[in-house]
Amino acid sequence: MALIGLLVSVRENGGEPVVALAAGCASSPTGDTYSGEYFYNFEWASFFPDGNKDERWCVEGDMARAELPATNPSGPWGTSHVVVRGTLGPPGSYGNLGACKRILKVTELVEVSNMRGRE
């Protein structure tokens, strides 16, 4: 989203007008907020948004705080409930065998709760 502003100021005592032009870009630095169930294992990670367990999104970004340390040789494996900020990509077929309908690019991990490892 582009943002352009124009400022015209006239000096007192009949001076010449002063013109200043400013340009920039404004967008949300962290994206929208999403909450749901985060699943991770040694191969991939996915996100099931609250209220829609039929929807699965692949996750990109640092989610280390939402993961328990590995307890077996196959690596970390578990689930957590998370609140994240990020950007949701367009609908499509992503991830392992196209299991994800979208990609969620996480810019901030806001909250983690109910962390559970593989049993």
Side-chain angles (χ1 to χ4, degrees):
M1 175 172 158
L3 173 65
I4 299 175
L6 177 64
L7 172 66
V8 178
S9 174
V10 178
R11 294 184 189 163
E12 291 190 30
N13 301 328
E16 295 290 321
V18 176
V19 178
L21 177 65
C25 183
S27 65
S28 173
T30 57
D32 294 322
T33 302
Y34 302 94
S35 66
E37 197 74 14
Y38 170 64
F39 166 82
Y40 59 94
N41 68 15
F42 63 97
E43 287 185 310
W44 69 315
S46 59
F47 179 86
F48 298 88
D50 284 343
N52 190 354
K53 296 299 181 193
D54 294 332
E55 188 87 6
R56 176 186 286 193
W57 305 336
C58 288
V59 177
E60 289 183 6
D62 183 8
M63 297 292 288
R65 274 190 22 237
E67 298 177 5
L68 294 170
T71 58
N72 62 53
S74 68
W77 193 308
T79 60
S80 299
H81 188 270
V82 297
V83 177
V84 298
R85 286 194 186 94
T87 305
L88 191 59
S93 182
Y94 304 98
N96 192 359
L97 299 175
C100 296
K101 295 181 180 179
R102 294 176 179 257
I103 295 177
L104 176 59
K105 293 184 180 181
V106 175
T107 56
E108 181 182 0
L109 179 54
V110 177
E111 182 180 315
V112 179
S113 61
N114 200 20
M115 297 174 73
R116 299 171 311 280
R118 180 180 181 192
E119 296 178 10

